[in-house]
Amino acid sequence: MQFSLDQNNRKIRPSFSGQRAICPLCNGQVIGKCGEIYVWHWQHYQDRNCDPWKEHETDWHRRWKAKFPQEWQEVVIEIYDKKHIADVKTAKGVVIEFQNSPISTATIREREEFYEKMIWVINADTFKDNFKTRSTVTSKLREEENEYLLELRTLDTEYKDELESYDKQIKNIESASISKSNELSRLKEKMETLEENCLNKTDFSQKVINTLSTEYYFADTVNVIRQKLDNSLKQQLKEIQNQITEADREIKAAEQTMLSVLNMEPITIEGKEFRLIPYKDIPKLAYQKARAILKESRKTFFLQCVDFKSESDFLNYDYKESHYDFAIDPTDKIDRLKEKQDTGKNKLLSLNEILSELKEQLSYQILQELEFIISELEFDIQELMKVLNNLTAQAGALKRNKAKFMIRMEKELTASKAEIVLKHKNSRSQIMTVNKGYYSAGWKYRRNSWNVALMPIFYDIGEDYLWYQTGKHKFKKVPIANFMSKYGHIFISG
Ligand SMILES: [Zn+2]
């Protein structure tokens, strides 16, 4: 107690230790305590506490009370038969209770009901470390910052998406252009080959005709032309070529036979030139032209020759080869062979005439087809060049649009970003104004008893501010100066 009553019922502070006065609550005797360390105060005789609500008074209590006008301190409040000393009662009738040690929920309710208009100031110095706070401004600013970054990112993403879609379209067109121009160079190469063919048309058509007698596959142009040629011409060509081969073969065979006849050993019989021949080689129908010559007589001047009377006579000589040599008159045979060769050669001449006529017809068709293929290819090349030009134009237009888009977007982006920056700047300053001093907080170990308090609670943690509890987990930092100007507004310091 800072104050007691003197004999004239005036509120006085002790002025020396041992001074006597009367307790305003119980009218008991109190004694002045005026030490050097603690604030001077009154104490009941034998340190008895007459108000059960009052805990042992500490310096913390005394320092707080001393902040208020003297008349407001230790005010006795009497309601019906109940009497208590309020630590402070302001001019507006608000009781301020300074609570140092834990009290029961029942006591809290009882006091709040008794005083009706009151606030609590709790000494939280001993459990302030048990109290975790987070600035509402900080957490809201963090949320705000995230939102701000998200908006900027979204803006950039939209821009990038559109740019990417341009790039994708341009890339598609460019790769189409590349494949078309590859196709074009292939066609141009083909055209060059075809034009070379045109430079020497005879060689080309001859080359195609030469392939007609085989079934092999040839390079595309040749093959295409081969298939388009008149089938009966192709058939005729094949037949003529076969006939020519056959005629050739016959001529060669006649020549061969002629050669073998001329190679036979000559022998003069009856003034005529005969040729020696093995018996088995004599055609039996030609027995009249054949002679048998006694071997022994060949060494003499007089040849002993036998001519055959009949076919059976000729056949009788089959086993007489040890005694006879045989000869035949080749004149008829040679004449026949000569005739055969002449006929063959004539036939060959006329076949070759037909062949060259056929080749001429085929050659005409081949060159017509070649020209047709070239004109088709020219058309394809023209078309492809149109497509390529078109693609180039499209790519150019897209690139120009992209450039325009980038310029426009650069402006829009700058404007939009400036807008966002401004919006968030305002938002941040609003957050800082509205939430200034507010904190969300929680107890590591809850002081459950204070949950029942309905009246405002201020926690004193020994700083120059108080924590004002505004919700279950919400606190506001209230500077002690602000607290004093609200509750002690008529107090003029020192
Ligand atoms: Zn008393």
Side-chain angles (χ1 to χ4, degrees), residues 23 25-26 44 50:
C23 167
L25 192 70
C26 67
H44 279 85
C50 63

Short mmCIF file of all heavy atoms in Angstrom, two decimals, residues 23 25-26 44 50, ligand 1:
data_model
loop_
_atom_site.label_atom_id
_atom_site.label_comp_id
_atom_site.label_asym_id
_atom_site.label_seq_id
_atom_site.Cartn_x
_atom_site.Cartn_y
_atom_site.Cartn_z
N CYS A 23 -5.50 1.82 7.87
CA CYS A 23 -5.79 1.18 6.58
C CYS A 23 -7.16 1.62 6.10
O CYS A 23 -8.13 1.50 6.83
CB CYS A 23 -5.75 -0.33 6.75
SG CYS A 23 -6.42 -1.23 5.34
N LEU A 25 -9.09 0.25 4.09
CA LEU A 25 -10.02 -0.85 3.83
C LEU A 25 -10.55 -1.43 5.13
O LEU A 25 -11.76 -1.55 5.30
CB LEU A 25 -9.31 -1.93 3.00
CG LEU A 25 -10.21 -2.99 2.42
CD1 LEU A 25 -11.07 -2.40 1.31
CD2 LEU A 25 -9.40 -4.17 1.89
N CYS A 26 -9.60 -1.79 6.06
CA CYS A 26 -10.06 -2.50 7.26
C CYS A 26 -9.98 -1.64 8.52
O CYS A 26 -10.27 -2.13 9.62
CB CYS A 26 -9.25 -3.78 7.44
SG CYS A 26 -7.51 -3.46 7.82
N HIS A 44 0.62 -3.53 6.91
CA HIS A 44 -0.19 -3.85 8.10
C HIS A 44 0.68 -4.36 9.21
O HIS A 44 1.76 -4.91 8.95
CB HIS A 44 -1.26 -4.92 7.75
CG HIS A 44 -2.46 -4.35 7.08
ND1 HIS A 44 -2.51 -4.13 5.70
CD2 HIS A 44 -3.66 -3.93 7.57
CE1 HIS A 44 -3.68 -3.63 5.39
NE2 HIS A 44 -4.40 -3.48 6.50
N CYS A 50 -5.15 -7.37 4.49
CA CYS A 50 -6.56 -7.34 4.81
C CYS A 50 -7.46 -7.59 3.61
O CYS A 50 -8.58 -8.03 3.74
CB CYS A 50 -6.92 -6.02 5.49
SG CYS A 50 -6.65 -4.62 4.40
ZN ZN B 1 -6.40 -3.08 5.99
#
